[in-house]
Amino acid sequence: MGRVIAVVSGKGGVGKTTITANLGIALAKRGLNVCIIDADIAMANLSLLLNMQNSPITLHDVLLGEADIQDALYDAPSGMKFVPSGLSLENYKRVDSERLQSVIDSIKNQFDFIFLDGAAGIEKNVLAAISASDEVLLVTAPTSPSIADVLKAKITAQRLGSKPIGVILNFVRNEKGEIKKEDVMKLLELPVLVSVPFDDEIRKSFMQETVMPVMVRKPGTPAAVAIQKAAAKLAGISLKIEDVPKQGFLAKLFAMFKRKPKEAVKK
Ligand SMILES: Nc1ncnc2c1ncn2[C@@H]1O[C@H](COP(=O)(O)OP(=O)(O)O)[C@@H](O)[C@H]1O
Ligand SMILES: [Mg+2]
């Protein structure tokens, strides 16, 4: 039986879709059977990020009872499977998100991990995604409004019987005023699996010519390395970081010159 994990946040734009796609790919690259589902029934951003927005059969069709879930499972990068959400607003209004639970139950034994990427907040479709999951992964930025909202999502998950398993802190810049990892753990009473730094390579994922998750394009970039760490923790496997660029002789030499002398650091 696979683990069904909903990726949730309070606020939008904190990185749920980015984390879902890259976490899925990281686990698939380690040989696990992974399915990621675009359960953001209204916005379908995951489909855009994977460049699969034109898939003929979608979760909308399945939830409308007009298609079988097996026909909505598409091949995605690194051997992962992907269920796209539809783009039609007409269908969106008709979709019955409460069917999600039985749809997911019917594919649970095909995978080690099923991730649900939902919308922000705690509206009806998000509640359906949380109810259909066994566990919830919280994503937040290190700011108080984002953490206050993700706390609501955590409490909602507990009420719906889905277990919050940890937090991914995203957009970390280590700037003054950011809430520290230790404080996030205290506030949310959950482990922080990993801090994902702000990384321009992630932002580029949505740019026209390079629409593809960073885990495929550049797995060695700092944010992707952090997500690989989260993947290893989730699966309980040892970390084997892929593609971290080796420092060549010249880079090492420059790094030595750039280092501050000890005296200067003390001041
Ligand atoms: N660690 C990061 N560094 C830089 N940009 C990021 C990072 N995480 C996400 N982004 C960017 O922020 C935007 C929102 O991310 P997204 O995953 O769509 O959030 P959500 O699904 O929570 O709404 C996207 O443009 C994405 O590329
Ligand atoms: Mg999203």
Side-chain angles (χ1 to χ4, degrees):
M1 271 298 199
R3 290 169 67 180
V4 182
I5 303 179
V7 181
V8 302
S9 71
K11 292 240 172 295
V14 294
K16 288 179 302 299
T17 299
T18 303
I19 303 281
T20 306
N22 289 293
L23 199 53
I25 296 169
L27 288 164
K29 281 186 174 186
R30 300 292 302 271
L32 290 149
N33 280 329
V34 181
C35 175
I36 61 174
I37 300 183
D38 195 344
D40 192 343
I41 290 167
M43 292 304 172
N45 283 348
L46 192 53
S47 310
L48 294 176
L49 179 57
L50 293 172
N51 226 335
M52 294 178 75
Q53 63 275 30
N54 296 322
S55 314
I57 298 173
T58 69
L59 187 62
H60 281 183
D61 304 312
V62 177
L63 295 178
L64 285 168
E66 291 169 2
D68 190 301
I69 181 69
Q70 297 299 336
D71 297 323
L73 288 168
Y74 292 85
D75 290 328
S78 307
M80 180 176 72
K81 293 284 181 190
F82 170 59
V83 178
S85 183
L87 295 172
S88 148
L89 277 179
E90 263 326 295
N91 278 348
Y92 158 65
K93 285 187 220 146
R94 293 167 50 220
V95 157
D96 176 8
S97 58
E98 276 164 30
R99 293 179 77 142
L100 199 56
Q101 169 96 58
S102 58
V103 166
I104 287 172
D105 284 349
S106 74
I107 55 167
K108 236 175 163 174
N109 59 0
Q110 288 172 243
F111 298 100
D112 299 309
F113 283 95
I114 298 175
F115 290 99
L116 300 173
D117 175 34
I122 41 178
E123 49 103 10
K124 182 172 165 257
N125 292 331
V126 179
L127 298 185
I130 295 176
S131 303
S133 67
D134 311 312
E135 298 166 279
V136 161
L137 187 59
L138 303 170
V139 181
T140 180
T143 59
S144 6
S146 180
I147 292 167
D149 285 2
V150 88
L151 179 59
K152 287 180 211 152
K154 177 197 161 186
I155 295 167
T156 307
Q158 284 169 321
R159 285 188 187 153
L160 293 173
S162 187
K163 185 179 176 218
I165 48 170
V167 182
I168 293 194
L169 207 51
N170 191 23
F171 284 107
V172 174
R173 294 174 191 258
N174 292 317
E175 281 174 350
K176 217 173 143 207
E178 271 182 14
I179 306 207
K180 300 237 162 6
K181 181 179 160 183
E182 293 68 32
D183 294 328
V184 175
M185 293 203 263
K186 276 187 211 145
L187 287 166
L188 296 176
E189 297 178 333
L190 282 173
V192 169
L193 292 184
V194 80
S195 296
V196 181
F198 179 89
D199 187 336
D200 230 21
E201 283 299 334
I202 297 254
R203 213 179 42 83
K204 284 187 201 158
S205 303
F206 274 114
M207 289 179 181
Q208 276 292 294
E209 282 173 322
T210 49
V211 183
M212 194 42 78
V214 76
M215 202 62 74
V216 176
R217 291 188 296 111
K218 247 186 188 181
T221 198
V225 169
I227 297 171
Q228 289 184 55
K229 286 184 187 161
K233 279 193 186 170
L234 264 186
I237 51 180
S238 62
L239 182 63
K240 194 179 79 189
I241 294 178
E242 198 196 347
D243 280 0
V244 178
K246 295 238 171 5
Q247 270 203 337
F249 171 72
L250 271 181
K252 275 186 194 157
L253 199 66
F254 278 117
M256 256 170 64
F257 285 127
K258 276 193 204 153
R259 223 175 279 151
K260 285 184 191 155
K262 280 204 171 106
E263 309 305 294
V265 175
K266 270 187 203 155
K267 275 180 198 166

